[in-house]
């Protein structure tokens, strides 16, 4: 499981799927140096407080995974290099992750998939979307027709959509894949 922005145990379809279908698990978090650089306007992408919150969140996720019999591999570097190295070194049959919405994160995702598939063309890639309150499939309109004004969006969604109940946290996880 490639850990990205969602660093919690509850409401995670990827973890629940791994709990029931996985024989071994290798949760991985990459501290991507690009996230600690500067924007094109010269502002830091990640400030001191956000950096501290991220470090604490990753540490908390690791401790939570350890309580469930797993662990968290933490690496510093770009995911499109780290994940293929792990695929090449281990017995990884699938990569689970939560896709992101923004262009930078989607570019990283595309690069990871291409790099991993260059090593193992048959590796299974499973995306589990849970980054927003409303799933894209629950919206009363296609993604490319999302209203530009929030009030219009809200009114349509409140009338025609429902929020899915949160998923429970896993009670156990498959053994950690060292």
């Amino acid at each position: 499981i490639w850990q990205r922005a969602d660093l919690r145990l509850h409401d995670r379809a990827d973890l629940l799927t791994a709990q029931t279908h996985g024989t071994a698990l290798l949760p991985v978090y990459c501290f991507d140096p690009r996230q600690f650089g500067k924007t094109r306007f010269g502002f830091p992408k990640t400030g001191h407080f956000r950096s501290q919150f991220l470090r604490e969140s990753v540490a908390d996720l690791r401790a939570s995974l350890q309580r469930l019999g797993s662990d968290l591999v933490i690496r510093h570097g770009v995911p499109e290099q780290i994940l293929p190295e792990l695929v090449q070194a281990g017995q990884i049959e699938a990569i689970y992750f939560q896709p992101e919405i923004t262009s930078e994160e989607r570019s990283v995702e595309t690069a990871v998939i291409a790099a991993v598939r260059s090593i193992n063309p048959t590796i299974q890639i499973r995306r589990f979307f849970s980054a927003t309150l409303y799933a894209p499939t629950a919206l009363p309109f296609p993604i490319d027709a999302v209203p530009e004004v929030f009030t219009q969006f809200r009114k349509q969604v409140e009338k025609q959509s429902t929020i899915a109940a949160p998923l429970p946290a896993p009670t156990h996880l498959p053994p950690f894949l060292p």
Side-chain angles (χ1 to χ4, degrees):
I1 294 182
W2 174 24
Q3 305 290 330
R4 298 177 82 188
D6 194 351
L7 301 175
R8 59 190 172 152
L9 292 185
H10 65 282
D11 206 22
R12 296 274 309 268
D14 54 353
L15 287 174
L16 289 175
T17 302
Q19 174 181 303
T20 57
H21 295 96
T23 55
L25 186 63
L26 183 67
V28 177
Y29 183 82
C30 302
F31 279 99
D32 189 334
R34 294 173 291 206
Q35 293 302 313
F36 297 91
K38 294 192 182 255
T39 67
R40 61 186 173 141
F41 302 109
F43 298 107
K45 284 186 165 187
T46 305
H48 171 72
F49 293 114
R50 184 174 177 201
S51 294
Q52 179 179 347
F53 178 77
L54 181 58
R55 286 190 311 272
E56 291 171 356
S57 297
V58 169
D60 183 65
L61 176 63
R62 176 181 252 174
S64 297
L65 289 168
Q66 288 171 341
R67 283 191 294 275
L68 294 177
S70 190
D71 205 342
L72 180 63
V73 172
I74 301 171
R75 295 284 189 265
H76 296 269
V78 295
E80 59 268 31
Q81 290 177 342
I82 292 169
L83 293 174
E85 289 170 0
L86 294 171
V87 166
Q88 195 163 23
Q91 312 249 330
I92 298 172
E93 299 171 3
I95 296 179
Y96 292 8
F97 66 93
Q98 295 186 39
E100 300 292 332
I101 302 300
T102 62
S103 61
E104 284 182 31
E105 285 83 359
R106 291 179 68 186
S107 294
V108 171
E109 182 180 309
T110 300
V112 164
I113 293 169
V116 165
R117 288 231 164 106
S118 72
I119 293 168
N120 179 354
T122 63
I123 195 163
Q124 184 182 11
I125 304 294
R126 299 268 328 258
R127 295 171 182 88
F128 296 85
F129 186 85
S130 65
T132 59
L133 189 58
Y134 292 98
T137 55
L139 294 175
F141 37 73
I143 289 291
D144 59 354
V146 171
E148 291 185 24
V149 177
F150 177 73
T151 303
Q152 294 169 354
F153 170 85
R154 181 185 54 80
K155 286 180 180 181
Q156 288 183 49
V157 169
E158 284 176 349
K159 286 181 189 173
Q160 301 173 28
S161 297
T162 57
I163 299 169
L167 299 170
T171 56
H172 66 281
L173 291 172
F176 180 68
L177 180 66

